[in-house]
Amino acid sequence: MRILRFAVVLVIAALVGVAGASAVVGDTGKDTINGPTAVQPDGSGAALVASAADPNGHQPWAIRVYRSVDGWTCPEAGRTQDGDFGQVDADGKFRSNSIQAAGSCVDLDKAPMSVTVNHYPANGLRGARAVVFGVVSPSVKSVSVQLAGRMRPLALANGAFMAVASESDLEGASVEATMQDGSAKSYPLAPTDEPATEGPVGP
């Protein structure tokens, strides 16, 4: 797993078939991770906050968010079916996931937003895929993603965003945020440096 960490962020890629995960959180200074309670669910449950269509027509992708014991916001990328959150096996079967310490957690009191990329390897049904997702604080007005040379806005659903793309589209890609004060922040993305291998259809 590859993790790029520039500020207050902790990523645990616990999804089946993830070739790698990279995360960027900007403008917060020194890394201040305070141990495993930063990612442990606080027991209050989780909310399914956003979804995106799958390019190959399989179950939609989704973001689930829980709060950690330390009060951090922890989004997870996965799939959704009939209101449940989980994974899709290689045979297309959906399996729901219980809430675990598997989120890409961020302290939104210190960071304006998080940007995480899950990298899924190619298999016999599709090429390598990337899922870009994150959460924002109230200081963020809007979020866009530049993929394959095109800029497109991303919906902020309950403070979360996501985009599903081919791994090759991450070359030169970035997430662009407009802040409430009119300033802008840019978060460069990059393809994984791990080779694409056979894997399941989804996470």
Side-chain angles (χ1 to χ4, degrees):
M1 181 196 310
R2 184 183 60 165
I3 298 177
L4 303 180
R5 187 172 64 205
F6 293 94
V8 186
V9 64
L10 182 59
V11 176
I12 299 178
L15 304 178
V16 176
V18 178
S22 57
V24 178
V25 177
D27 306 311
T28 63
K30 186 178 179 181
D31 187 334
T32 56
I33 291 173
N34 295 317
T37 56
V39 296
Q40 293 293 333
D42 68 0
S44 62
L48 196 65
V49 299
S51 63
D54 178 67
N56 295 107
H58 298 290
Q59 289 89 338
W61 296 80
I63 299 176
R64 178 173 68 179
V65 175
Y66 68 86
R67 297 284 289 179
S68 77
V69 173
D70 282 351
W72 290 20
T73 303
C74 303
E76 301 175 73
R79 300 290 189 100
T80 183
Q81 180 174 295
D82 299 327
D84 289 334
F85 178 91
Q87 303 171 352
V88 174
D89 292 330
D91 60 2
K93 184 178 180 180
F94 176 85
R95 294 184 295 108
S96 61
N97 285 357
S98 60
I99 303 170
Q100 305 173 35
S104 301
C105 299
V106 58
D107 184 351
L108 290 178
D109 289 332
K110 297 180 179 179
M113 62 186 291
S114 68
V115 179
T116 303
V117 183
N118 281 357
H119 306 274
Y120 299 93
N123 63 21
L125 299 179
R126 57 157 175 79
R129 182 175 295 163
V131 177
V132 182
F133 66 101
V135 290
V136 303
S137 71
S139 66
V140 176
K141 182 179 181 180
S142 63
V143 176
S144 298
V145 64
Q146 179 173 287
L147 290 168
R150 293 182 56 194
M151 184 73 72
R152 61 185 178 99
L154 296 178
L156 289 176
N158 302 297
F161 62 89
M162 74 181 312
V164 182
S166 297
E167 182 74 22
S168 58
D169 289 342
L170 291 188
E171 192 68 47
S174 64
V175 169
E176 307 293 330
T178 301
M179 313 303 288
Q180 296 288 359
D181 63 8
S183 63
K185 299 184 184 297
S186 181
Y187 301 85
L189 308 177
T192 180
D193 53 8
E194 299 183 20
T197 58
E198 290 297 311
V201 172

